[in-house]
Amino acid sequence: MRIITVKDYEELSKKAANILASQITLKPNSVLGLATGSTPVGAYRELVRIYKEGDINFSEVVTFNLDEYYGLDKENLQSYYYFMRDNIFKFVNININNIHIPDGRAKNIEQECIGYEDKIKQAGGIDLQLLGIGRNGHIGFNEPDVKFEAQTHLVTLDEDTIEANSRFFASMEEVPDQAISMGIKTIMHSRKILLLASGEEKAETINNMINGKITPELPASVLQLHPDVIVLLDEKAASKL
Ligand code: PGA
C-alpha cells in the first residue's frame, strides 16, 4: 500500500482528481470504478474543473459504480445514479452508454448482479477503482463479516451504515436497508485502487485497515493483499497511524 497524506480535504480532492485525470490521459478508454458518498464529491468537482480547462476527455471513458440502493429508482434524489449525474456526469462529455450503475429496481436481482460482472469483464476489467471507506471499514457496501470471495450481490446494510447515511434522507426509516454492491472479489480484481479518507472519524478505521490484521470484520483490510493500492488521506484521517 502506498500511503499519501495531505493537509486537508481540499488538497485530498485535488490530488485524487489529478490521479484520476492522469489515468484518463494515459489511457483515454480507461475503465473507472467509481464511488459515491461525501468523500469523493470534492474530487469529482476538481475533475470537472480539469475537464472544463480542456485537459481531459471523457468520450471513451467507461465507468462502473460500486453500488446502488435496492429499491430506489434512478430518478430518486437519493439514488446513486442521481448522485453521479449531479456530481460529475452531467458536466463532462461521457457517453451515456458507457455509464454503468447497478439497477436498484431490477426485477431479477440475481440476473442483474451476474450481468454487472459480465459487463465489467466485457469492458476488459477495471483499470482504476476509486473507494471511500465506511466508519465500520466497509468498501462499497461490503459490510463487516463479508465474504471475501463475493462478487456483485445484494447486501443488507449495517446499522452503522444506515445511521451514517441517514444524513442524506428525511429520516432513518427512509434509508433503504439493502443495496446491490460489487463484492470484495470484484474490487480486488481492479488493476489499481485509490482509497480516499478524510476526517477524524475515519482515523481509527484507517489505522486498523493498514496496520491491523486482515479480517472480514474489517472488509477494507483485505486491500493489504492488493498489489497496487494508493491510500490518500488528510491529516485527520492519518492521525492514528
Ligand atoms: P463517506 O462514505 O464518504 O460519506 O464518508 C464512505 C463510505 O461509506 O464508503
Side-chain angles (χ1 to χ4, degrees):
M1 279 184 179
R2 196 161 358 143
I3 322 286
I4 302 175
T5 304
V6 296
K7 191 163 161 288
D8 55 18
Y9 182 71
E10 272 315 298
E11 266 191 45
L12 175 121
S13 300
K14 285 192 181 133
K15 204 161 279 282
N18 283 336
I19 293 170
L20 288 162
S22 307
Q23 174 68 39
I24 297 170
T25 303
L26 291 169
K27 187 180 177 201
N29 60 348
S30 283
V31 179
L32 301 180
L34 297 178
T36 52
S38 304
T39 313
V41 168
Y44 292 147
R45 185 197 62 220
E46 286 300 311
L47 202 55
V48 168
R49 188 185 53 74
I50 296 170
Y51 166 76
K52 286 193 171 151
E53 285 170 1
D55 292 333
I56 44 170
N57 177 359
F58 281 82
S59 62
E60 293 179 66
V61 170
V62 177
T63 64
F64 286 90
N65 265 73
L66 279 168
D67 43 24
E68 177 61 283
Y69 287 118
Y70 175 65
L72 291 197
D73 190 79
K74 282 178 178 182
E75 298 309 320
N76 189 304
L77 299 192
Q78 306 307 338
S79 75
Y80 286 162
Y81 190 92
Y82 196 95
F83 173 101
M84 291 306 294
R85 194 170 54 193
D86 221 36
N87 280 285
I88 176 164
F89 293 151
K90 72 179 182 190
F91 300 114
V92 300
N93 67 334
I94 192 160
N95 179 340
I96 194 166
N97 298 318
N98 288 348
I99 296 171
H100 304 90
I101 301 179
D103 179 1
R105 301 262 299 201
K107 292 225 162 57
N108 184 335
I109 292 294
E110 206 183 314
Q111 204 46 52
E112 174 66 16
C113 294
I114 294 169
Y116 204 65
E117 289 289 332
D118 283 348
K119 282 185 210 148
I120 295 173
K121 254 189 229 117
Q122 278 160 22
I126 293 170
D127 291 305
L128 174 61
Q129 175 68 57
L130 182 65
L131 296 177
I133 182 168
R135 293 182 303 205
N136 63 1
H138 75 197
I139 45 177
F141 272 134
N142 293 286
E143 304 286 31
D145 288 329
V146 69
K147 290 195 171 56
F148 283 158
E149 67 275 20
Q151 294 187 293
T152 301
H153 62 310
L154 184 69
V155 297
T156 298
L157 304 187
D158 220 50
E159 291 243 321
D160 191 66
T161 301
I162 292 176
E163 196 240 298
N165 290 8
S166 66
R167 68 191 194 276
F168 301 112
F169 291 81
S171 70
M172 235 164 97
E173 289 65 47
E174 280 187 29
V175 185
D177 56 9
Q178 288 184 301
I180 299 174
S181 178
M182 280 187 199
I184 294 289
K185 187 169 172 186
T186 325
I187 294 171
M188 289 297 277
H189 275 170
S190 312
R191 292 184 188 92
K192 261 180 201 299
I193 292 177
L194 170 62
L195 183 142
L196 311 180
S198 164
E200 224 166 296
E201 63 163 18
K202 302 284 172 72
E204 196 171 330
T205 311
I206 286 295
N207 183 42
N208 291 335
M209 172 186 91
I210 294 171
N211 296 317
K213 64 174 199 288
I214 299 168
T215 164
E217 275 154 44
L218 194 102
S221 64
V222 74
L223 298 176
Q224 291 178 29
L225 299 173
H226 191 284
D228 195 354
V229 181
I230 298 174
V231 179
L232 181 54
L233 307 170
D234 65 10
E235 279 176 2
K236 286 187 174 149
S239 61
K240 296 211 167 135
L241 286 178

